């Protein structure tokens, strides 16, 4: 049946590569450069056959191969990059993009972590670790002298990451390094990356080559790592009242120093103002949504903070292209189930780097279904990203995605049994499921109505059978796979700019013009051609002939166009995150963009806002604060993706 689906599609040859004719040149070029295995994949058709045949064999249900091939060919959804790198090649392929690792306070464990990370990067995955278990530089070693401290070891980890090509190709490795707000070295950690960025700026000023692979940035540390401070409610309560915060020794918990909590938050804000790091993770909020509380505390995340779960676990991701569904709720529900079948089968068939992760993958079976193109969907429907209507739309689709995924997972549990640790976590698991369902509240619309039905069935199924998967949903950055699906926007993000430039690893620049603008203009009753021509020429929709002022907010992007203009306010990003967070098992990979003239005080206020409104994590980026990033508008660069969690 899969062959019939393939034969029903028109194929074309571009640059010597056979590909679906309806895929854009951009999609074909990026998929060919990233995923085709030399000597094996002679075309994108062969790539699709390799992966889909293998996954369908694992699922082993009649007609599944054709249904999955139709979904992927139609660009309605796809799997994270390690699946495309490795499935159908290795007997037990590495399939998960996201890993959370741990480290003990011993040299053997510290070196073992470097080895494990390297093996993961080689196969196209990213990893995160909380380093707070390592003694601070202010504590003594048993043999005498002082410990090196986590920041010293971070340099070594970063160096290894920099020389291991992710996926064995040109993709850069990526990692998350986390430190608790109570660790004695937290101030050094907070300022570590900003100091390195200043060194790179000095090298560029002295004539060394800039750029993502230039000598300047290759000469400084922490370019392969995102940094986050893990802060509990007590920290923010102390900061709010102007109180002190205790830094405690790792070995015995004694107080090493007492500092003003506000001073520590302001240090975080100043460093993030300078270079985008560190982000912040809200420890108690994360733990309150942990469905497996009896099994442990969530201490860390993957590189982009969307996979938030227990140490020594892994998560395979997949994403749906929202623009392909419009108002078709039933098609969306069907495709949630289709993707989950493969993702669940992957858990037992994939390889993992350590015995503990193997054990935990079977014990918890976490999955990370998400979506891309939310920003394009909202634009196409004439909804400004920063509007109540857009937030209701996003909340509805997110609630349906996770509710339907848990309903399907409860069905898996009825057939094959719940995940091994379900019984010991039954009470906390059901409590979290009820919180998800109750969060729908008075949300209106077809998607919210469908979500209520899905969540009622999910809770009933879980109470009767348990669920097969401890987590089912996250919102990843969807870098490469968004291009594979011809998305205009990634993950939950609005468009960065209506015209963008992607700096390719290994050289070259790709100019990308938002294709959803014409669709939105037609819906609003305009002749799109003259307005689109204006956008392509001026890289801005402002001043376009005939465009009414009341429609400008529909086309607002994360950053203003060259020369200045409109952009989504930072609070608009946070409000969207707050609207969808209650309906996700994990977190949200999301950049809160700020203008170049934003202040550290504004960033500190954003961190406070996130804590008060129930977010799990925040990352910020101030326009022009970093020399080079993968995605850019002309002459300026911005963070949008880390490159590993897709």
């Amino acid at each position: 049946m899969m062959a019939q689906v393939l034969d029903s599609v028109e194929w074309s040859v571009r640059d010597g590569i056979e590909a679906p004719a309806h895929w854009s040149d951009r999609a074909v070029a990026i998929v060919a450069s990233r995923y085709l295995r030399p000597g094996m994949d002679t075309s994108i058709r062969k790539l699709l056959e390799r992966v889909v045949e293998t996954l369908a064999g694992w699922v082993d249900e009649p007609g599944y191969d054709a249904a999955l091939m139709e979904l992927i060919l139609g660009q309605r959804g796809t799997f994270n990059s390690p699946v495309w790198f490795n499935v159908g090649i290795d007997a037990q392929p590495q399939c998960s993009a996201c890993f959370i690792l741990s480290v003990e306070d011993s040299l053997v464990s510290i070196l073992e972590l470097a080895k494990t990370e390297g093996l993961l990067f080689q196969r196209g995955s990213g990893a995160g670790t909380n380093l707070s278990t390592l003694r601070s530089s202010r504590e003594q070693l048993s043999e005498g002298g002082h410990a090196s401290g986590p920041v010293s070891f971070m340099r070594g980890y970063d160096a290894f990451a920099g020389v291991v090509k992710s996926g064995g190709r040109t993709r850069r490795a990526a990692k998350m390094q986390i430190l608790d707000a109570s660790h004695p070295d937290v101030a050094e950690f907070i300022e570590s990356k900003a100091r390195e960025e200043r060194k790179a700026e000095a090298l560029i000023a002295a004539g060394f080559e800039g750029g993502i692979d230039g000598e300047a940035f290759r000469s400084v540390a922490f370019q392969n790592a995102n940094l986050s401070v893990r802060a509990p409610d007590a920290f923010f309560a102390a900061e709010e009242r102007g109180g002190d915060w205790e830094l405690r020794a790792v070995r015995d918990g004694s107080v090493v120093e007492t500092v003003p909590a506000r001073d520590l938050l302001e240090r975080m804000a100043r460093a993030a103002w300078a270079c985008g790091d560190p982000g912040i993770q809200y420890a108690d909020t994360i733990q309150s949504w942990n469905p497996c509380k009896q099994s442990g505390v969530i201490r860390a995340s993957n590189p982009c903070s969307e996979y938030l779960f227990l140490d020594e676990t892994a998560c395979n991701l997949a994403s749906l292209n929202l623009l392909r569904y419009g108002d078709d709720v039933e098609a969306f529900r069907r495709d949630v189930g289709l993707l989950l079948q493969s993702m669940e089968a992957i858990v037992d068939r994939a390889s993992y780097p350590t015995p503990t992760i193997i054990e935990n993958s079977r014990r918890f079976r976490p999955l990370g279904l998400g979506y891309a193109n939310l920003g394009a969907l909202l634009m196409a429907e004439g909804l400004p990203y920063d509007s109540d209507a857009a937030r209701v739309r996003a909340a509805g689709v997110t609630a349906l995605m996770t509710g339907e995924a848990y309903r399907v997972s409860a069905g898996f549990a009825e057939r094959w049994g719940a995940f091994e640790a379900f019984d010991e976590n039954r009470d906390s698991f059901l409590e979290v499921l009820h919180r998800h369902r109750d969060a729908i509240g008075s949300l209106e619309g077809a998607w919210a109505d469908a979500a209520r039905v899905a969540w009622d069935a999910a809770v009933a199924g879980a109470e009767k059978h348990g669920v097969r998967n401890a987590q089912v949903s996250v919102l990843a950055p969807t870098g490469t796979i968004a291009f594979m699906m011809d998305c205009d926007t990634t993950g939950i993000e609005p468009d960065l700019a209506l015209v963008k430039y992607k700096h390719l690893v290994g050289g070259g620049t790709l100019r990308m013009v938002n294709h959803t603008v014409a669709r939105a203009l037609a819906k609003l009753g305009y002749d799109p051609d003259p307005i689109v021509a204006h956008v392509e020429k001026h890289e801005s929709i402002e001043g376009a002939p005939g465009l009414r002022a009341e429609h400008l907010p529909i086309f607002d992007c994360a950053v203003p166009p060259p020369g200045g203009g409109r952009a989504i306010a930072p609070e608009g990003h946070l409000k969207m995150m707050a609207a969808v967070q209650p309906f996700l098992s994990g977190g949200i990979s999301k950049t809160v963009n700020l203008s170049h003239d934003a202040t550290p005080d504004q960033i500190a206020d954003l961190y406070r806002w996130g804590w008060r409104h129930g977010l799990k994590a925040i990352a910020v980026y101030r326009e022009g604060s970093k020399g080079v990033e993968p995605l850019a508008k002309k002459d300026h660069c911005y963070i949008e993706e880390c490159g590993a969690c897709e």
Side-chain angles (χ1 to χ4, degrees), residues 387-462:
S387 68
D388 289 340
R391 291 185 278 271
V392 168
R393 182 71 165 91
V397 73
T398 311
L400 176 57
M401 178 183 71
T402 302
E404 182 65 14
Y406 270 128
R407 187 195 69 79
V408 170
S409 185
F412 292 161
E414 183 178 7
R415 294 172 63 184
W416 304 310
F419 69 90
E420 291 178 13
F422 178 80
D423 286 342
E424 70 187 63
N425 291 286
R426 179 182 177 86
D427 290 345
S428 65
F429 203 99
L430 294 177
E431 183 269 330
V432 168
L433 287 191
H434 278 277
R435 285 183 69 189
H436 283 302
R437 183 181 66 178
D438 293 347
I440 297 174
S442 59
L443 275 180
E444 297 180 351
W447 290 81
D449 292 342
R452 286 187 186 89
V453 173
W455 274 107
D456 285 344
V459 170

Side-chain angles (χ1 to χ4, degrees), residues 60 95 147 200 280 312 488 499 538 590 594:
D60 193 24
C95 297
I280 197 160
E312 302 299 323
D488 273 325
V499 179
H538 299 283
K590 174 87 180 74
L594 297 103

Side-chain angles (χ1 to χ4, degrees), residues 105-108 110 135 139-148 153 251:
D105 190 33
S106 73
L107 187 58
V108 171
I110 289 167
R135 269 171 292 181
E139 296 176 64
Q140 289 188 327
L141 297 170
S142 56
E143 297 86 356
H146 283 80
S148 298
F153 289 112
R251 290 299 295 272

